Amino acid sequence: MGMRVLKIHPNDNVLVALQDITANEQIDYKGETYPVLENIPAKHKFYMFDMEKGEEVIMYGVLVGKTECTVKKGERMRTDNLKHAAATYTYRPYQYHWEAPDVSRIAHRTFMGYHRGNGNVGTANYWLFIPTVFCENRNLDVIREALHNELGYAVTDKYKQKTKLLKEWYQSGKDVSSVDLGLKEAVLPTDRLFKNVDGIKFLNHQGGCGGIRQDAAVLSKLLAAYADHPNVGGVTVLSLGCQNLQVQDFLTDLKARNPTFDKPLYIFEQQQSKSEEEMITEAIRQTFIGLVEANKLKRKPAPLSQLTLGVKCGGSDGFSGISANPAVGYCADLLVALGGKVLLAEFPELCGAEQNLIDRTKDEHAAKKFIQLMKAYSQAAENVGSGFHMNPSPGNIKDGLITDAIKSNGAAKKGGTAPVEDVLDYTEPATKPGLNLVCTPGNDVEATTGKAASGATLILFTTGLGTPTGNPICPVIKVATNSQLAERMSDIIDIDCGPIISGQKTIEQMGEDILEYCIKAASGEITPKAVSLNQDDFIPWKRGVSL
C-alpha cells in the first residue's frame, strides 16, 4: 500500500497526503495519531497541530503561510484558512558546503552532439527563420508550409485526413457525427531530405515595432541569442525595413554576443525587394543552399560537461515538490558534478526560497544581483496591484499548491543542491559551469524562451497537471509528477516520476534515470514528445509584469 502521508522536513507542521484520505480516518505517522477531520485528497495537506489565527505554517522547513483563523489538528489546508507569507531575506557571507554526488561511474560518458566553431556543442542542428518584426509573420508562414511539406519536416497530416473524411461524408449525405476519426498519433517524418538537419524553425512573434523602444532592444538581444545558440546551424532573417528593430541593431547584438559568429546568415528586407514573391522565392533558394551546407555537419562525441540543462515546471501540482522536481534536481546535481551547466529561472516562483539560494551563491556580487532582481521584480508586480503571492493558478490551488511560497519552495527543488555560480538577467548567456539563476517570468513559454536564450541545450519540464509546451530550438523533455498523468497524457509525457510517490524508486534512482534519458535525447537517440509534435512555443518577455 505504501506510505499514505509524508512530512517533508523535520520542522514542518503539516503533512502531505500521498493518497486520498477520508474524513474520520485515524492516520498513524511516526508514533503520532492524527484524526482526520475532513476528506483530504492526495497532494493536499493537513495541519499536525491545533493553531491560532496568525501562526506560522512551515513546509520544506521554511515559512509558507500564516493561518487566517483557528485551525484544528487534522484539518485540511485551504485558501480560506491559510494565506501566503514568506520570510524576509538578505545577503550573508558564503559558508555553504556542498557534497557533490559520486559521478565516477559516469564520468567517462559522452553524448553525440553538433560541435560549433566557438567550441560549444549542440544537442540538435536546426535552421532558424527570424522575423525582425511581426509584419513578416505571414511570409514566414508561407515559407514554413513550403519547406516543411517538401523537405519532410511537417508532422503527420492526420488532421488533414480527418477533415477530408468529414468532407467526404458530408458530400455523400452521411451523418458526420458517426464517422470514425480514429487515426494514428503524430509521428516524425522519415523522408527528410537533409538527414543531419533536425528541423527548420520559425520564431514568429508580435514585437519589433510599436510599443516602446526598450521592447525592441530586448527583443533584438533575444533574437541574437537564438541565432548564436549551439542548436542552430544557420539563420534566415526577414525584415520589413521601417520597424523599430532594425537589422543593424540585430547584427550589432549578434556580434557583441559572439564576435566570431560563423554560421550561414541570410538577410532579406521586404521594402528593398521588387515584390513579395521575389523576396520569398530568393529566401527559399538561399536557405536551401544553406541547408545543403548545414547538412554536412555530423554528430560527434562530446563530454557531458558540454550540456546546458534548463529546469522548468508548469501545470504544477501538490506532488511536484516531492517527486519530479527533486528528481530533476538530483539529475541537475549529477550534471554539475560532471562540469555541466544548469539553469534555474522563474523568479516569481522562487518566492520564499530566496534565502536558501542566496546562502548558496558563491560570489557576493552575484548574490546581491539576485536580491536586486527579485526585489525589483516583486515591486513592479505590487506597483500594478499584483504580487508574487498571486502566481498560483486555479489548477495549482485545486491540486494542493495553496500559496506561492509552497509552490516556490517545491519549484526550487528542480535546481538541486549545488552552489549557485552565477546570476543572469534575461538573455544573458551562461558562461560558468554549475548552477546559474536566470531572471524570467514563471509563465511557461516566457520562461522556456528565456532559458534557451541563456544557452539551455535541453530543458527538463516537470508537470503534475499536464502541458504541451515546447521550444523551437531547445528540446523540451516532459517529466510527470504522478503516474496517472503519465498514463492519461502519454502523447506529451516523456518520463514518469510516479514511482517515487508509490515508493518503487528513490529520488536518486529517478534522477539517474532522467540523466540517462537526457544523454539519449542529446544524442538524437530519443525524440521528446514536444519535438515530435513540432511544439515550437516562443514568447518574448517585454519586461512588463508577468508572473
Side-chain angles (χ1 to χ4, degrees):
M1 187 175 184
M3 291 176 53
R4 301 195 65 195
V5 297
L6 174 69
K7 185 178 181 180
I8 298 174
H9 188 277
N11 294 340
D12 291 357
N13 52 18
V14 295
L15 292 175
V16 183
L18 302 180
Q19 304 170 7
D20 291 342
I21 302 173
T22 57
N24 302 317
E25 281 195 63
Q26 302 287 317
I27 297 296
D28 294 320
Y29 184 75
K30 293 190 174 181
E32 182 74 20
T33 299
Y34 299 91
V36 177
L37 304 183
E38 57 187 298
N39 292 336
I40 311 291
K43 308 179 185 180
H44 283 257
K45 297 88 184 164
F46 62 87
Y47 298 102
M48 297 175 64
F49 311 101
D50 292 345
M51 301 176 70
E52 297 298 320
K53 179 180 179 179
E55 288 199 52
E56 294 185 348
V57 175
I58 307 299
M59 189 173 168
Y60 298 105
V62 299
L63 175 66
V64 297
K66 292 185 178 181
T67 53
E68 279 286 284
C69 57
T70 298
V71 297
K72 297 293 185 181
K73 177 180 179 179
E75 184 176 347
R76 177 178 166 183
M77 179 193 292
R78 305 183 304 270
T79 54
D80 65 307
N81 63 32
L82 182 72
K83 294 300 178 185
H84 169 84
T88 58
Y89 54 92
T90 187
Y91 171 72
R92 298 190 296 214
Y94 181 78
Q95 295 181 331
Y96 184 67
H97 173 70
W98 184 53
E99 292 189 9
D102 180 8
V103 293
S104 57
R105 184 175 56 85
I106 54 175
H108 67 286
R109 294 288 301 276
T110 60
F111 71 100
M112 298 295 289
Y114 293 99
H115 293 248
R116 304 299 178 188
N118 63 356
N120 291 333
V121 182
T123 63
N125 190 30
Y126 294 121
W127 192 276
L128 186 63
F129 275 80
I130 294 177
T132 59
V133 64
F134 56 80
C135 308
E136 293 301 315
N137 283 346
R138 182 259 178 190
N139 291 333
L140 258 67
D141 292 342
V142 171
I143 296 172
R144 178 195 287 113
E145 183 176 3
L147 294 181
H148 274 196
N149 289 340
E150 291 302 318
L151 300 184
Y153 293 104
V155 295
T156 179
D157 62 349
K158 67 174 181 177
Y159 295 113
K160 292 181 181 178
Q161 297 174 30
K162 292 172 188 277
T163 304
K164 181 180 179 182
L165 192 56
L166 287 168
K167 172 186 170 184
E168 291 172 351
W169 274 55
Y170 174 75
Q171 288 176 332
S172 64
K174 296 179 181 179
D175 179 12
V176 296
S177 64
S178 60
V179 62
D180 181 10
L181 297 177
L183 300 175
K184 290 184 178 180
E185 290 185 12
V187 295
L188 276 178
T190 57
D191 59 344
R192 288 197 333 233
L193 178 62
F194 301 113
K195 305 301 183 184
N196 296 323
V197 178
D198 297 303
I200 304 174
K201 302 297 182 177
F202 298 79
L203 298 187
N204 294 47
H205 60 79
Q206 302 303 315
C209 203
I212 57 176
R213 294 301 175 92
Q214 290 91 329
D215 290 343
V218 172
L219 178 61
S220 178
K221 288 181 172 57
L222 177 67
L223 298 179
Y226 270 62
D228 188 47
H229 195 281
N231 289 357
V232 171
V235 183
T236 302
V237 176
L238 265 60
S239 170
L240 179 60
C242 60
Q243 69 279 347
N244 285 346
L245 174 46
Q246 290 287 293
V247 167
Q248 189 56 52
D249 297 331
F250 165 77
L251 293 175
T252 298
D253 285 329
L254 183 57
K255 184 176 182 180
R257 191 177 183 96
N258 183 0
T260 62
F261 182 85
D262 60 355
K263 301 174 188 176
L265 175 63
Y266 307 124
I267 298 173
F268 300 91
E269 195 155 272
Q270 188 166 6
Q271 289 173 349
Q272 300 300 317
S273 301
K274 293 180 181 179
S275 68
E276 176 186 281
E277 181 177 356
E278 180 195 60
M279 182 188 74
I280 291 177
T281 300
E282 195 57 27
I284 290 175
R285 184 202 310 274
Q286 290 298 319
T287 297
F288 193 95
I289 294 171
L291 287 166
V292 172
E293 291 303 309
N295 191 53
K296 294 177 181 178
L297 189 65
K298 296 183 179 180
R299 292 181 182 270
K300 295 179 181 179
L304 299 185
S305 59
Q306 286 284 358
L307 288 176
T308 301
L309 182 65
V311 292
K312 171 77 180 83
C313 57
S316 298
D317 70 353
F319 284 164
S320 292
I322 59 179
S323 64
N325 287 351
V328 165
Y330 188 74
C331 172
D333 282 346
L334 290 171
L335 187 59
V336 169
L338 290 164
K341 301 185 187 77
V342 174
L343 309 182
L344 175 65
E346 305 171 88
F347 276 24
E349 297 181 15
L350 298 178
C351 178
E354 298 98 336
Q355 192 63 61
N356 174 266
L357 293 168
I358 293 166
D359 291 345
R360 288 162 53 191
T361 303
K362 287 183 175 181
D363 179 69
E364 179 178 353
H365 172 75
K368 290 182 176 179
K369 181 178 179 180
F370 174 62
I371 292 171
Q372 184 272 324
L373 287 170
M374 283 293 290
K375 289 189 173 180
Y377 200 156
S378 178
Q379 188 60 56
E382 292 173 12
N383 288 345
V384 295
S386 186
F388 286 172
H389 68 282
M390 298 180 73
N391 173 275
S393 70
N396 295 150
I397 295 169
K398 180 177 179 292
D399 267 49
L401 299 177
I402 303 301
T403 72
D404 188 45
I406 293 175
K407 181 178 179 180
S408 293
N409 280 281
K413 298 295 181 184
K414 304 188 303 291
T417 61
V420 175
E421 298 291 343
D422 206 358
V423 176
L424 311 172
D425 203 350
Y426 186 65
T427 76
E428 287 184 340
T431 60
K432 296 181 180 180
L435 177 61
N436 292 255
L437 305 182
V438 184
C439 185
T440 75
N443 174 289
D444 290 350
V445 180
E446 288 176 323
T448 51
T449 298
K451 286 186 180 72
S454 286
T457 52
L458 288 175
I459 292 175
L460 285 171
F461 193 124
T462 71
T463 182
L465 304 177
T467 172
T469 302
N471 183 266
I473 63 170
C474 182
V476 176
I477 300 164
K478 291 294 168 39
V479 184
T481 70
N482 62 91
S483 296
Q484 291 81 1
L485 171 65
E487 294 167 5
R488 188 176 69 254
M489 301 184 76
S490 60
D491 56 335
I492 65 171
I493 297 297
D494 300 297
I495 300 172
D496 176 19
C497 284
I500 294 175
I501 301 298
S502 63
Q504 295 171 289
K505 285 191 176 183
T506 66
I507 287 171
E508 292 77 15
Q509 289 170 333
M510 201 73 238
E512 291 173 353
D513 289 350
I514 293 171
L515 179 60
E516 190 64 34
Y517 187 101
C518 287
I519 295 170
K520 291 179 179 179
S523 302
E525 297 175 18
I526 293 179
T527 303
K529 303 291 178 59
V531 176
S532 68
L533 293 170
N534 273 354
Q535 187 77 36
D536 297 337
D537 301 306
F538 178 78
I539 301 179
W541 183 27
K542 291 185 177 182
R543 296 309 295 257
V545 177
S546 178
L547 300 178

